């Protein structure tokens, strides 16, 4: 079998990371959560009180922000300059600011270079917003996952509660819709289905169903 690249894109909370992790596990591939990279930078920028609209300052801190994605028994761990930021980068302050950080051209160029380096030997499942369109335009398999805002908010709500985070369903709905709007309308590499991506609407599908569908597609191409 050849070790291919699999790109999973889609709007916020569409189940990308859950599905991508499962695929990576099945295939013994590397899972790369590109959203976690933008979140780690956002976390640090907030900590240091940097103006999130200042592209040059962001690039400056990014240059000495070392981001590691490490698989573990409990899923993927995210380290930022040696600090375990796996949980803090999911908190509301980061979530509601990350799209501002991610809109900048220079920030994206640096992130994309790192993402391509992670993927250079193939055997990766990478999830994000611009993987099929920009980061890995030659990925052998491209999937675009979508689901209604209501369904995505409900899933994220349940996830938050399970993690012991406070959660407000109506607020989540608004935040998810707003983040999608910023991510879809930005100038550089907006959220968009690649022309050759296969779209899967997960609104009424289980995770198992989605993983199964994608594994069938993958098995045709390895
Ligand atoms: O996937 P996740 O929800 O963790 O992504 C957080 C944010 O990071 C997105 O809302 C988007 O602003 C940004 N992002 C991006 N490009 C990617 C992955 C994430 O702009 N490839």
């Amino acid at each position: 079998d050849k070790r291919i690249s699999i790109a999973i894109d889609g709007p916020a909370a569409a189940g990308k990371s859950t599905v991508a992790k499962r695929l990576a596990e099945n295939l013994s591939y590397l899972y790369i959560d590109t959203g976690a990279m933008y979140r780690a930078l956002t976390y640090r920028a907030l900590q240091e009180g940097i103006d999130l609209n200042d592209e040059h300052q962001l690039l400056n801190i990014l240059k000495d922000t070392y981001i590691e994605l490490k698989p573990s028994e409990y899923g993927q761990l995210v380290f930022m300059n040696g600090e375990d930021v796996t949980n803090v980068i999911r908190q509301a302050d980061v979530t509601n600011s990350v799209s501002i950080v991610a809109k900048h051209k220079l920030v994206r160029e640096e992130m994309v270079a790192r993402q391509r380096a992670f993927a250079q030997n193939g055997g990766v499942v990478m999830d994000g917003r611009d993987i099929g369109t920009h980061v890995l335009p030659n990925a052998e398999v491209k999937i675009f996952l979508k689901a209604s805002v209501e369904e995505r908010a409900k899933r994220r709500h349940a996830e938050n509660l399970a993690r012991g985070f406070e959660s407000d369903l109506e607020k989540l709905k608004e935040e998810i819709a707003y983040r999608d709007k910023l991510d879809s309308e930005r100038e550089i590499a907006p959220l968009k289905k690649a022309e050759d991506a296969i779209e899967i609407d997960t609104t009424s599908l289980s995770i198992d169903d989605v993983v199964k569908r994608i594994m069938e597609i993958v098995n045709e191409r390895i």
Side-chain angles (χ1 to χ4, degrees), residues 4 22 37 42-43 54 69 84 101 138 166 220-221:
I4 64 168
R22 290 271 298 272
M37 299 170 70
T42 304
Y43 171 70
D54 188 332
L69 306 172
D84 182 348
V101 170
N138 299 319
E166 254 180 65
E220 285 168 12
R221 299 186 190 187

Side-chain angles (χ1 to χ4, degrees), residues 94-118:
V94 173
T95 301
N96 294 328
S97 300
V98 61
S99 295
I100 304 170
V101 170
K103 75 181 177 186
H104 299 295
K105 180 165 181 274
L106 299 176
V107 169
R108 299 200 69 82
E109 278 173 4
E110 170 64 21
M111 290 296 197
V112 169
R114 294 186 192 190
Q115 290 155 9
R116 286 182 181 151
F118 285 145

Side-chain angles (χ1 to χ4, degrees), residues 118-138:
F118 285 145
Q120 64 183 345
N121 298 318
V124 294
V125 184
M126 191 179 283
D127 78 354
R129 302 293 186 290
D130 62 338
I131 311 307
T133 53
H134 282 91
V135 181
L136 304 175
N138 299 319

Side-chain angles (χ1 to χ4, degrees), residues 9 12-13 16 33-36 38-39 90 98-99 102 108 115 127-131 156 179 183 186:
D9 290 297
K16 299 185 298 294
D33 176 355
T34 63
Y38 291 98
R39 286 172 180 273
R90 305 285 157 200
V98 61
S99 295
R108 299 200 69 82
Q115 290 155 9
D127 78 354
R129 302 293 186 290
D130 62 338
I131 311 307
R156 188 50 55 91
R179 193 144 62 95
D183 290 339
R186 73 171 172 237

Side-chain angles (χ1 to χ4, degrees), residues 56-68:
H56 291 279
Q57 273 203 60
L58 285 171
L59 184 65
N60 246 337
I61 62 163
L62 179 55
K63 282 186 174 151
D64 66 16
T65 303
Y66 181 57
I67 302 166
E68 290 168 284

Side-chain angles (χ1 to χ4, degrees), residues 1 3 6 25 33 36 39 44 73 78 101 119 122 143 145 147-149 171 181 187 197 199:
D1 284 0
R3 292 172 62 79
I6 302 171
E25 229 175 77
D33 176 355
R39 286 172 180 273
R44 182 162 173 211
E73 246 185 284
V78 184
V101 170
I143 305 292
L145 288 187
S148 70
V149 178
K171 219 168 108 192
K181 181 174 154 63
E187 205 176 316
E199 184 173 288

